[in-house]
Amino acid sequence: MTPILFVYAKGGPPLEYAVPKIAAHAEVHVLALAPLPRVTESVWRPGCASVTTAPPGEGVELVDLICSHARRVGAAAVLTLSEYAVVAVAHASLRLGLRGAGERVAGARDKRLMRRIWRDAGVPVPGFAEVDGPQDITTAFDTLRPPLLLKAAWSAGSTAHLTVWNEQQAEVAWKTGRSVMEASSAQGYAELHAADEGVSDFLLEEIVTGEASDWFDGAGWGDYVSVEGIVADGRYHPLCVTGRLPTVAPFTERASLAPAALPVAAQRRIEEVSRAAVDALGLDTCATHTEIKLGADGAVWLIETAARFGGVMTTRQAETVFGVDMIGMLVRQLLGKEVGYPERMLTEGEGAAGSLVVLAVGADGRPWAELPAWDFAAVDWSALVAPGSRVELVREHSLPPGSPVPPYEEAGGANSMAALCFLRAASGPELLADCGRILAALPKALTRASAPAPFPIQSPDGPATATTPSPTSADRSTPGSAA
């Protein structure tokens, strides 16, 4: 088979799912820039022809490393599924003369550049101002309508996002955001192409008002969606829409669900908006994940586009519901092989699938009163979901059994997650209801299972089947959820 270099970094789909998908079309050589997940090694390791670990370095040094390793294994393509490695892999592919995201990849990574490109192209975005330091905050409040969202330009998983109402709050939030980004960087959750990227780079943007009820059939949905797709030699192919539960304050994602309960006409409107956004970025060949806010009377705003697949389980959701192997399609495209894309974005699927993030905060936004130990196997999942629904633990993205559930911190976003669960149900409404029951019951279910006692915190307040995790300690590979 044709060799491909898979650059592994934190984030992206779990290797136990991703590596077999890549290996079905290429000989997989892994260059690991972060510790590999041991808990699922018996699943992903057999699909690899070689595995090499190396410190990532930065900038030109990192691109040199990727190019050197690609040449050594004779790679016909270089692939990453991590947000943090997208830029470096794109630059390496350009130097090697291989297909990749292209020279304009930064527009799909740096949220400041992204918004400038969209504003100039007439793509609808919230009002925004770039913040490189406290001196920019006054200017932002002179031109924008509060409340505003302070957002790190290079973050992922809603990390370093804070809502502010005045300049004083914004200055404090900027310092907090810098601290969060510095801590994330120390843990490997940071842009790899340049070590100093993202620590001080922020933007303030207006918080636009979503209106889910104007779009969705039924209640309980969040007011934004994402479009998953692939750009193939400059041509964008939107593949499907995924919906969301309402976010946790300020804007931390709780769950990604497919299919989204949207009328076909609404999905076509979303498809065209995503096309305008992705086309404006001028990408070459890569995956795309485009998030769109849904407002009243058909209003939409672009939140962001990434040059990679969405979330950690989005690819599996798309395959489960829509029957598309997005990772396999991208691999074939990067290798120059024939790929059968649908003529238009898929709007109907079979069954339903979702990713649910376990955070110590209720659906109403209130922190859990206690922090119990996390133990997937101790919960009676069959009592929480509909007959026929299934709940699985995503081991690579979950804490080891017995670990205390971390407190939810708004600025930390998905860094506060304890675990990730993958759900399957017979229909979208059943999946939505399953998520609601789990969110309501999980704190007590874990507290009852904890022994000898829960960890105190200062903040106030047909049968289903469940896959039991391995008793081996998991080393969670990313804090990201469905971002």
Side-chain angles (χ1 to χ4, degrees):
M1 298 182 78
T2 306
I4 189 170
L5 179 63
F6 173 43
V7 179
Y8 172 78
K10 294 188 176 184
L15 291 192
E16 63 178 331
Y17 176 79
V19 169
K21 297 298 178 185
I22 304 169
H25 305 278
E27 179 183 278
V28 183
H29 296 270
V30 177
L31 173 61
L33 306 178
L36 290 156
R38 296 185 300 272
V39 68
T40 56
E41 188 170 7
S42 63
V43 179
W44 59 261
R45 190 80 181 216
C48 303
S50 70
V51 177
T52 302
T53 59
E58 61 179 275
V60 174
E61 180 184 349
L62 174 56
V63 175
D64 288 344
L65 171 67
I66 295 171
C67 289
S68 174
H69 202 68
R71 293 189 184 103
R72 186 169 70 82
V73 301
V78 182
L79 167 70
T80 188
L81 300 173
S82 167
E83 175 86 358
Y84 306 114
V86 160
V87 175
V89 166
H91 283 280
S93 297
L94 283 168
R95 187 188 297 180
L96 293 165
L98 303 176
R99 287 179 175 85
E103 60 185 10
R104 296 181 63 184
V105 65
R109 185 72 181 95
D110 180 351
K111 296 175 178 61
R112 302 164 303 171
L113 176 58
M114 189 184 304
R115 277 156 179 73
R116 292 200 300 269
I117 292 171
W118 283 342
R119 179 191 59 199
D120 294 345
V123 176
V125 294
F128 70 95
E130 299 179 25
V131 178
D132 298 322
Q135 70 279 0
D136 299 317
I137 291 174
T138 298
T139 302
F141 274 87
D142 285 343
T143 58
L144 303 176
R145 295 172 300 174
L148 305 178
L149 180 66
L150 182 77
K151 180 182 293 185
W154 297 83
S155 67
S158 303
T159 305
H161 285 29
L162 288 163
T163 303
V164 296
W165 281 263
N166 55 54
E167 293 180 37
Q168 292 72 29
Q169 288 181 340
E171 290 178 5
V172 173
W174 184 76
K175 293 176 182 178
T176 300
R178 277 180 51 88
S179 297
V180 169
M181 292 301 292
E182 288 172 350
S184 295
S185 179
Q187 297 173 32
Y189 304 112
E191 175 59 39
L192 293 174
H193 188 244
D196 59 349
E197 295 284 14
V199 172
S200 300
D201 300 336
F202 286 77
L203 65 157
L204 279 164
E205 66 179 21
E206 293 178 342
I207 299 176
V208 292
T209 303
E211 191 58 68
S213 61
D214 275 17
W215 291 80
F216 287 93
D217 293 330
W221 291 91
D223 58 9
Y224 71 111
V225 296
S226 64
V227 181
E228 320 308 331
I230 293 174
V231 179
D233 296 327
R235 183 181 177 187
Y236 177 51
H237 298 274
L239 298 174
C240 62
V241 173
T242 55
R244 299 291 190 276
L245 288 185
T247 57
V248 179
F251 292 102
T252 301
E253 296 192 10
R254 196 68 193 249
S256 170
L257 310 173
L262 289 162
V264 172
Q267 293 193 57
R268 293 297 178 215
R269 159 82 167 134
I270 290 166
E271 177 184 13
E272 293 311 310
V273 173
S274 73
R275 185 180 302 282
V278 175
D279 286 350
L281 295 177
L283 301 170
D284 189 358
T285 297
C286 60
T288 59
H289 171 71
T290 304
E291 296 182 352
I292 301 172
K293 184 86 164 181
L294 308 176
D297 301 321
V300 295
W301 299 271
L302 269 296
I303 301 174
E304 63 186 61
T305 286
R308 45 87 180 164
F309 291 121
V312 289
M313 296 300 285
T314 305
T315 49
R316 185 178 172 191
Q317 290 170 219
E319 184 175 28
T320 301
V321 176
F322 297 102
V324 290
D325 173 12
M326 295 197 296
I327 293 177
M329 293 167 75
L330 178 59
V331 169
R332 292 183 64 82
Q333 188 67 50
L334 289 170
L335 294 174
K337 297 181 179 180
E338 183 178 351
V339 181
Y341 294 103
E343 290 187 11
R344 296 203 68 181
M345 185 182 74
L346 302 172
T347 58
E348 296 182 3
E350 186 172 332
S355 308
L356 182 66
V357 180
V358 176
L359 297 166
V361 59
D364 58 1
R366 294 182 182 181
W368 290 1
E370 297 174 316
L371 291 180
W374 168 250
D375 189 349
F376 179 87
V379 176
D380 181 8
W381 297 97
S382 64
L384 305 183
V385 298
S389 295
R390 298 187 175 206
V391 184
E392 303 172 27
L393 180 69
V394 183
R395 294 180 293 167
E396 285 183 31
H397 301 289
S398 301
L399 294 173
S403 302
V405 174
Y408 176 67
E409 298 177 357
E410 291 188 9
N415 287 359
S416 304
M417 95 176 186
L420 182 71
C421 296
F422 183 75
L423 284 70
R424 284 178 288 175
S427 68
E430 284 192 1
L431 180 63
L432 198 64
D434 287 341
C435 290
R437 285 190 292 267
I438 290 172
L439 292 179
L442 194 54
K444 290 184 178 179
L446 287 172
T447 299
R448 285 195 298 267
S450 293
F455 297 82
I457 60 175
Q458 301 300 317
S459 301
D461 5 343
T465 62
T467 302
T468 303
S470 163
T472 323
S473 291
D475 50 338
R476 187 176 66 191
S477 61
T478 175
S481 59

